[in-house]
């Protein structure tokens, strides 16, 4: 999936917003600023493409509220693609 | 607010299982994941003690996790199986050569001996050469047909009793949808079988038939398993992509859709007249491999490639292919002496005699 981001695997991102930024804001930020490849291979509407797993501090984002999760300082957000051969 | 694991109630939950919607911690997840595969193996009596089993390994997420889990379960539950890794090199630069490096590492990491068979050796054609010849449509048809045979040939060379592949629940649900969409009735009937029918040359089964792809990826991530994760360079045009995208959307709304589609697929029973009209399984005239036609698909494709007529054997819907096959059969050209001598000498009948 790093191919979509010019080969870069990790990014340090700072988001400032009032109220607290949510994961949906991070996804929008990524689409607008970090994505080098086709957006439809990463996002679908407000959220990531179904088939891309999201971990927040090594925990399933579905446990944390999905795109409504409120980002905290130093959070580690990991995107893993399942859309490839096995 | 920390969510606790519903199984042990002690540890923090790290995963919401799509299969059951349960919130589980890492250790409980490992346990349920492994135990469910064990139950699948036992419930369907996939193996018997002393079996030599080849794990079809590509270096990708499913086959790497499969190798790990097979080894773990074989040791834990004493299945007494002799395990091997079997890899197919289709000859796709920048994809297969890299993923094979991963399988070689798996060989060392899991202590399971590896055998690699290649299209170049078996057929004289690598996928890169085939795509140069036929363009980027229908490549997956060639690759799928060749790979199936290649795996069987490799398995015969290894003298194993059984092949296991890493097909997961998502794959099988996708296949059910694909076959439905394309009117492929014969495949629709077979594709949910966990183990191929007994008249097959080499039985093959899918221990991950009821395992969700998301869980396989999470298992690999939490266990820090080494796997290769890039899409085949030729796959963007594959028909399966549409079924996959549809299935993923369905899953996001209702995760049980995947299991439900498999369940629907398992329940299909063909009408008697349709069943009777399906071609019967026999052996290929040229190489002896199982085939529902006089000449197997791989031989037809190879003949086409070697003669510069690469579209032979591909394309069209199931029903139009049927019509076309009937027309071709009525005016079948004779194989010349020259063609016969240029065929690869490796045949299944020879190999079986050697065993």
């Amino acid at each position: 999936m790093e191919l979509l981001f010019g080969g870069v695997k990790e990014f340090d991102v700072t988001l400032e917003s009032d109220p607290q930024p949510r994961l949906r804001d991070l996804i929008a930020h990524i689409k607008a600023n970090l994505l080098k490849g086709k957006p439809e291979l990463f996002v679908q509407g407000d959220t990531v493409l179904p088939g891309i797993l999201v971990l927040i501090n090594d925990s399933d984002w579905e446990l944390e509220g999905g795109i409504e999760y409120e980002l905290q300082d130093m959070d580690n957000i990991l995107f893993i693609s399942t859309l490839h051969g096995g | 607010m920390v969510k606790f694991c519903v199984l042990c109630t002690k540890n923090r939950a790290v995963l919401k299982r799509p299969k059951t919607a349960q919130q589980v911690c890492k250790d409980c997840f490992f346990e349920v994941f492994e135990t469910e595969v064990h139950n699948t193996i036992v419930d369907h009596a996939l193996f018997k003690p002393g079996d030599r089993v080849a794990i079809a390994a590509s270096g990708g997420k499913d086959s790497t996790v499969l190798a790990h889990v097979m080894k773990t379960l074989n040791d834990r539950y004493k299945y007494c199986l002799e395990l091997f890794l079997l890899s197919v090199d289709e000859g796709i630069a920048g994809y297969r050569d890299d993923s094979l490096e991963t399988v070689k590492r798996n060989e060392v990491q899991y202590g399971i001996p590896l055998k690699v068979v290649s299209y170049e050796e078996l057929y004289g054609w690598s996928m890169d050469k085939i795509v140069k010849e036929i363009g980027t449509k229908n490549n997956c048809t060639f690759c799928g047909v060749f790979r199936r045979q290649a795996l069987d040939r490799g398995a015969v060379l290894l003298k194993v009793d059984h092949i296991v592949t890493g097909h997961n629940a998502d794959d099988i649900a996708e296949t059910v949808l694909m076959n439905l969409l394309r009117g492929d009735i014969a495949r629709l009937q077979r594709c949910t079988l966990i183990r191929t029918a007994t008249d097959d040359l080499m039985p093959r089964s899918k221990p991950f038939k009821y395992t969700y792809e998301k869980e396989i990826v999470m298992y690999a991530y939490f266990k820090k398993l080494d796997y290769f994760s890039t899409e085949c360079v030729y796959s963007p045009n594959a028909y399966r992509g549409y079924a996959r995208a549809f299935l993923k959307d369905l899953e996001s709304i209702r995760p049980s859709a995947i299991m439900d589609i498999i369940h629907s697929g398992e329940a299909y029973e063909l009408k008697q007249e349709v069943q009777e009209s399906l071609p019967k399984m026999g052996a290929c005239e040229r190489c002896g491999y199982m085939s529902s036609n006089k000449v197997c698909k791989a031989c037809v494709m190879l003949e086409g490639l070697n003669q510069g007529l690469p579209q032979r054997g591909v394309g069209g819907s199931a029903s139009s292919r049927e019509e076309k096959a009937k027309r071709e059969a009525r005016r079948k050209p004779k194989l010349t002496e020259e063609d016969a001598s240029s065929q690869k000498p490796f045949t299944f009948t020879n190999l079986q005699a050697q065993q």
Side-chain angles (χ1 to χ4, degrees), chain A residues 5 13 25-35 42 79:
Chain A
F5 296 93
V13 174
D25 301 312
L26 176 64
I27 294 170
H29 173 91
I30 292 173
K31 178 180 177 186
N33 304 312
L34 302 175
L35 203 53
F42 184 70
F79 297 95

Side-chain angles (χ1 to χ4, degrees), chain A residues 1-3 44 50-53 55-65 78 80-86, chain B residues 3 12-16 23 58 60-63 95 213-214 217-218 221-222 227-231 244 248-249:
Chain A
M1 191 157 65
E2 50 270 25
L3 292 176
Q44 186 169 287
I52 294 183
L53 305 180
L55 292 180
I56 301 171
N57 301 325
D58 261 17
S59 176
D60 191 350
W61 73 332
E62 291 198 43
L63 295 176
E64 312 291 344
L78 177 67
I80 307 182
S81 175
T82 66
L83 305 164
H84 53 80
Chain B
K3 297 202 162 73
R12 181 180 154 229
V14 292
L15 174 73
K16 184 172 177 193
Q23 298 168 354
S58 63
K61 60 192 186 337
D62 304 307
S63 52
Y95 172 68
E213 190 167 59
K214 171 182 171 181
V217 175
M218 293 310 296
Y221 175 71
F222 286 136
Y227 70 87
F228 183 72
S229 63
T230 303
E231 265 208 27
R244 174 173 295 175
K248 284 291 148 193
D249 282 338

Side-chain angles (χ1 to χ4, degrees), chain B residues 137-347:
Chain B
K137 224 176 166 201
N138 295 321
N139 329 329
C140 298
T141 303
F142 277 83
C143 198
V145 170
F146 285 166
R147 181 164 48 251
R148 194 182 212 290
Q149 271 213 27
L151 272 179
D152 281 349
R153 292 178 181 202
V156 170
L157 290 169
L158 274 175
K159 297 187 179 14
V160 294
D161 304 299
H162 206 121
I163 298 175
V164 290
T165 56
H167 291 93
N168 58 50
D170 298 52
D171 293 328
I172 296 182
E174 277 166 26
T175 306
V176 172
L177 288 175
M178 262 173 64
N179 290 333
L180 196 65
L181 292 170
R182 301 202 294 192
D184 199 330
I185 307 297
R187 286 202 173 92
L188 188 59
Q189 206 194 183
R190 296 194 300 262
C191 68
T192 48
L193 293 174
I194 193 170
R195 190 189 160 126
T196 52
T198 47
D199 53 358
D200 241 8
L201 176 72
M202 177 69 60
R204 52 173 79 188
S205 47
K206 307 177 167 99
F208 283 166
K209 180 184 171 191
Y210 300 111
T211 310
Y212 274 62
E213 190 167 59
K214 171 182 171 181
E215 299 200 1
I216 290 175
V217 175
M218 293 310 296
Y219 185 89
Y221 175 71
F222 286 136
K223 285 263 184 193
K224 303 197 186 327
L225 300 182
D226 178 6
Y227 70 87
F228 183 72
S229 63
T230 303
E231 265 208 27
C232 176
V233 295
Y234 299 129
S235 69
N237 298 313
Y239 190 82
R240 182 174 285 270
Y242 300 111
R244 174 173 295 175
F246 182 44
L247 189 72
K248 284 291 148 193
D249 282 338
L250 290 174
E251 187 193 5
S252 65
I253 302 168
R254 202 169 132 270
S256 65
I258 292 177
M259 292 303 277
D260 295 336
I261 290 172
I262 296 177
H263 182 66
S264 302
E266 283 168 342
Y268 284 140
E269 205 181 282
L270 297 185
K271 286 196 237 191
Q272 196 165 0
E273 57 266 27
V274 176
Q275 181 72 58
E276 281 161 13
S277 73
L278 288 180
K280 303 284 173 286
M281 219 38 103
C284 172
E285 278 176 351
R286 310 247 184 94
C287 72
Y289 191 68
M290 64 165 186
S291 171
S292 49
N293 299 309
K294 280 216 181 112
V295 179
C296 76
K297 198 67 164 243
C299 285
V300 169
M301 285 176 167
L302 270 178
E303 185 185 53
L305 283 171
N306 289 329
Q307 289 179 348
L309 296 166
Q311 292 312 318
R312 207 176 269 179
V314 295
S317 67
S319 39
S320 73
R321 276 204 302 274
E322 232 177 80
E323 287 307 305
K324 190 168 162 210
K326 285 185 189 143
R327 281 198 314 269
E328 289 215 338
R330 287 196 284 271
R331 48 174 173 81
K332 189 175 106 166
K334 294 266 181 270
L335 192 64
T336 64
E337 283 299 296
E338 208 182 280
D339 292 339
S341 62
S342 75
Q343 293 291 326
K344 283 264 154 191
F346 190 118
T347 67

